[in-house]
Amino acid sequence: MSSDSFGRAEGLSAPSRRRFVQGLAVGGAVATLGLWPRSSWAVKAEGLPNVLSGTDFDLTIGETPMNFTGATRPAITVNGSVPAPLLRWREGTTVNLRVRNALPPGSIHGNQTSIHWHGILLPANMDGVPGLSFDGINRGEAYQYRFNVVQGGTYWYHSHSGFQEQAGLYGPLVIEPLEPEPFAYDRDYVVMLSDWTDLDPRHLFARLKKRSDFDNYAKQTVGDFFDDVKQHGWAPTVEDRKMWAGAMRMTPTDLSDVNGNTYTFLMNGTTSLGNWTGLFRSGEKVRLRFINGSAMTHFDVRIPGLKMTVVAADGQYVHPVTVDEFRIATAETFDVIVEPTGQDAFTIFAQDLGRTGYISGTLAVRDGLRAPVPDVGPKPLLTMDDMGHGGMGGGGHDMSSMSSSMAGMDHSGHDMSSMAGSAMAGGSMAGMDHGAGGMQQHPATETGNPLVDMQTMTPAPKLDDPGIGLRDNGRRVLTYADLRSTFRDPDGREPGRTVELHLTGHMERFAWSFDGLKFADAEPLRLNYGERMRIVLVNDTMMSHPIHLHGLWSDLEDESGNFMVRKHTIDMPPGTKRSYRVRADALGRWAYHCHLLYHMEAGMFREVRVEE
């Protein structure tokens, strides 16, 4: 099957064929003699084959043949590797990074490139977003990033040019803090999770625009219908199907746009067959720095037989919380401490949210060992409550009005025009509820909008919800409510104003936006330098959206508006309404977007301007 084909392979189904050939490849750069270079998967002390430390770095962005599935495809690499080298910095130093564009002429990945330092506080012209903070790096040219390192922790870096991040341009970043850390450990490994496709990412995006449900192999069948009739009765089941197929024009199995039917999942740049391994001695404390460097995948992570103590989120210390499992959204990082003992090997298991595939690695006392790999869990189904329509899916409810609420709710009696305008331009909305409660109001720009196919009615923060597919699974699962920074609100001021933004989309058209307005049609969100403000996000879609604000911290609040945890990426599951505080302490133009790559490219992107 060609890399740009929209069809399915003959004989074996696309997923089974892809998984079969994946078993033939450990994964990594293709050597000149067709052999796998050991450096692409061998165990190293740092957990990754390429580690660069210090204050001066030379990074070359090029194109390297990679084979993760049995087929060789061109990847975007930094110094020849996927993932890019692990960079180790030290807080309090100044780093110089000379980034050179060595992409070949005619590369499918374009002529220009860039690197964004995700979660790092720096001047706007060092942030690495072409067209916003700098002009990008053209072929044959170099750009020097230079800035002071003012934080410690676990972060990552990636391209902000086209679809290069999907094609391999991402890497881990570890910053040694100035002060001693509030926990002890004996070994330290990066565990970077990602998703790879043999398709040209441009063609994958085009496929999403034509058939957004291409990867949804789990649509409900006639058999499922009659099973539901037996369990819930005829009328409620018919009502439920009418809701999804008619008013919502969606399916409750549509959890991710691209999943394991297209993707091969990687751990530190290798497949499950490659078995990335971190070594330990029994009784040692091992720090695992989990980074989700994927383009489109939420992972659910556990290590059967081991408890994990979460000690940091998005590079910032949190009060330790011990769990069996956690969900890590695209772009998030979690640091955990484990104490392996009692057996020689433990499996690190990360399955995707839609339960279409997994990636596994091993903690072991010596190389070459494996432990049993769990089965992928059952496929979860979205409910009306997940969508922020609690109580609307059962029998006895009049569902006839739901169509208008999904695609242009009637807001008669509410003057929404001022709300939309103030939200987009940064006006005050301080009187609005930033938690839950009451029927949700919506911006006028959503009403009758062909790019908006749904509106949530009763969203809630759901901070203590493990998430769809993780509830009541018999394991202790991390939630946002568990995350509490080890420090108080670093600003201390009450927000002077509140801005509410809605995450919007149209599934069939694969159109994504804020407030129903794509980036090209939206005004920048303007912040006054030095102000403390509150951003409220409402997810009007059936997808989870990890939202990342460049250059500024996002201080997540609880339902009462109290500071909880400092993050750089806030995940927004369907039907949620969450708020966080922002201190506008960095002048310039900043990107603000969903970190699902194809959602960002399809319009869920805003410019934030911090001005005097």
Side-chain angles (χ1 to χ4, degrees):
M1 184 170 64
S2 65
S3 64
D4 59 354
S5 172
F6 292 162
R8 306 199 194 281
E10 297 292 334
L12 289 172
S13 67
S16 61
R17 178 183 182 276
R18 192 192 58 74
R19 286 174 182 149
F20 172 77
V21 296
Q22 177 184 329
L24 303 177
V26 169
V30 178
T32 55
L33 297 179
L35 303 175
W36 305 115
R38 181 169 174 78
S39 63
S40 70
W41 58 274
V43 175
K44 298 290 180 180
E46 302 279 358
L48 288 164
N50 300 308
V51 182
L52 302 175
S53 302
T55 58
D56 290 274
F57 302 86
D58 288 290
L59 304 177
T60 299
I61 296 174
E63 199 171 274
T64 305
M66 289 281 168
N67 188 330
F68 297 107
T69 66
T72 299
R73 293 290 185 267
I76 295 289
T77 58
V78 177
N79 294 2
S81 71
V82 172
L86 165 59
L87 303 183
R88 296 192 78 95
W89 302 345
R90 186 175 296 277
E91 184 182 3
T93 64
T94 299
V95 291
N96 295 277
L97 304 112
R98 292 170 292 275
V99 179
R100 186 171 67 90
N101 181 347
L103 291 173
S107 169
I108 65 171
H109 302 297
N111 301 321
Q112 193 183 81
T113 191
S114 60
I115 289 181
H116 164 60
W117 314 100
H118 187 103
I120 303 301
L121 305 179
L122 37 61
N125 63 338
M126 297 288 109
D127 192 48
V129 181
L132 209 62
S133 57
F134 82 140
D135 294 331
I137 310 170
N138 294 319
R139 181 189 293 119
E141 297 180 354
Y143 187 81
Q144 180 162 326
Y145 293 89
R146 177 184 171 91
F147 48 87
N148 298 326
V149 181
V150 297
Q151 64 206 94
T154 304
Y155 303 93
W156 66 299
Y157 62 103
H158 59 84
S159 175
H160 233 286
S161 299
F163 300 106
Q164 292 177 5
E165 180 187 336
Q166 172 76 90
L169 209 171
Y170 53 84
L173 176 57
V174 172
I175 306 175
E176 299 296 334
L178 278 174
E179 299 294 329
E181 299 185 283
F183 45 82
Y185 54 94
D186 301 296
R187 301 201 185 215
D188 183 2
Y189 293 111
V190 165
V191 182
M192 191 165 206
L193 308 173
S194 59
D195 44 31
W196 168 267
T197 174
D198 283 345
L199 293 173
D200 179 339
R202 299 170 303 173
H203 294 158
L204 178 52
F205 184 62
R207 191 180 79 183
L208 285 166
K209 297 293 286 185
K210 293 178 180 179
R211 283 191 55 190
S212 62
D213 64 345
F214 188 94
D215 266 10
N216 185 4
Y217 286 64
K219 294 178 182 178
Q220 291 177 301
T221 65
V222 173
D224 294 325
F225 174 83
F226 285 109
D227 287 342
D228 287 349
V229 168
K230 289 180 183 178
Q231 185 173 355
H232 303 293
W234 180 269
T237 301
V238 171
E239 262 182 21
D240 180 75
R241 294 304 196 272
K242 284 182 178 178
M243 167 69 74
W244 287 102
M248 300 183 73
R249 299 185 298 279
M250 304 171 189
T251 166
T253 61
D254 209 350
L255 296 167
S256 52
D257 299 299
V258 192
N259 56 39
N261 295 315
T262 289
Y263 280 144
T264 296
F265 300 125
L266 305 178
M267 181 180 293
N268 289 339
T270 190
T271 64
S272 295
L273 179 66
N275 191 32
W276 177 85
T277 302
L279 300 180
F280 72 89
R281 292 188 179 92
S282 182
E284 286 184 326
K285 291 185 176 182
V286 180
R287 179 182 190 167
L288 302 174
R289 302 175 185 260
F290 284 94
I291 302 170
N292 188 345
S294 69
M296 293 289 286
T297 307
H298 286 59
F299 288 101
D300 295 333
V301 179
R302 68 185 192 267
I303 308 176
L306 288 182
K307 296 286 186 180
M308 299 180 289
T309 300
V310 181
V311 294
D314 289 359
Q316 302 294 290
Y317 301 136
V318 296
H319 289 287
V321 54
T322 300
V323 299
D324 300 307
E325 188 169 14
F326 62 85
R327 173 163 291 168
I328 183 168
T330 298
E332 287 187 313
T333 74
F334 287 112
D335 292 34
V336 307
I337 304 291
V338 297
E339 298 184 51
T341 188
Q343 59 192 63
D344 289 344
F346 297 86
T347 295
I348 303 173
F349 180 74
Q351 60 183 340
D352 73 316
L353 182 154
R355 305 297 186 256
T356 63
Y358 71 92
I359 177 64
S360 67
T362 304
L363 294 176
V365 296
R366 62 182 180 276
D367 196 13
L369 297 182
R370 291 179 184 263
V373 177
D375 293 330
V376 172
K379 295 185 184 301
L381 292 177
L382 287 165
T383 66
M384 288 297 109
D385 188 54
D386 287 317
M387 307 303 297
H389 301 292
M392 299 304 294
H397 297 292
D398 177 15
M399 311 303 286
S400 60
S401 64
M402 286 298 289
S403 179
S404 62
S405 71
M406 296 302 129
M409 187 179 294
D410 178 15
H411 298 298
S412 56
H414 300 290
D415 179 11
M416 307 298 288
S417 59
S418 62
M419 187 181 90
S422 63
M424 286 182 289
S428 175
M429 296 171 63
M432 293 201 65
D433 175 24
H434 52 79
M439 188 69 75
Q440 177 63 48
Q441 295 182 338
H442 294 267
T445 48
E446 288 190 39
T447 305
N449 191 329
L451 299 182
V452 178
D453 65 1
M454 197 191 98
Q455 292 176 327
T456 186
M457 298 173 68
T458 55
K462 301 183 183 179
L463 297 169
D464 59 354
D465 180 16
I468 184 169
L470 292 176
R471 304 174 190 125
D472 304 317
N473 65 6
R475 297 185 287 272
R476 171 73 165 87
V477 183
L478 183 75
T479 70
Y480 269 14
D482 295 320
L483 298 175
R484 301 283 172 169
S485 291
T486 56
F487 45 85
R488 295 183 177 181
D489 181 351
D491 186 285
R493 296 174 292 169
E494 280 298 309
R497 63 188 177 114
T498 298
V499 168
E500 182 168 305
L501 292 169
H502 288 238
L503 312 178
T504 47
H506 192 289
M507 296 285 291
E508 288 186 67
R509 299 180 181 183
F510 201 74
W512 303 97
S513 54
F514 287 97
D515 288 347
L517 296 172
K518 292 198 294 185
F519 171 63
D521 302 324
E523 289 294 318
L525 180 64
R526 299 180 186 274
L527 280 58
N528 299 314
Y529 181 69
E531 76 167 317
R532 183 69 155 167
M533 65 174 296
R534 172 181 288 119
I535 294 177
V536 178
L537 295 179
V538 179
N539 189 352
D540 278 337
T541 80
M542 68 181 295
M543 291 287 180
S544 293
H545 301 284
I547 303 299
H548 173 45
L549 174 59
H550 288 220
L552 309 171
W553 284 115
S554 300
D555 293 332
L556 186 66
E557 299 176 322
D558 64 16
E559 291 88 338
S560 301
N562 300 309
F563 170 67
M564 284 177 52
V565 62
R566 169 160 277 193
K567 296 183 94 273
H568 53 55
T569 304
I570 304 291
D571 194 34
M572 293 292 300
T576 55
K577 181 177 184 178
R578 293 177 173 176
S579 65
Y580 52 96
R581 304 176 187 183
V582 172
R583 181 169 63 193
D585 54 5
L587 291 169
R589 303 171 64 191
W590 303 99
Y592 185 38
H593 60 91
C594 175
H595 221 285
L596 299 181
L597 179 62
Y598 298 98
H599 288 192
M600 180 184 74
E601 289 294 327
M604 194 175 281
F605 185 103
R606 277 287 175 91
E607 177 186 346
V608 170
R609 291 186 184 177
V610 180
E611 302 169 325
E612 292 282 7

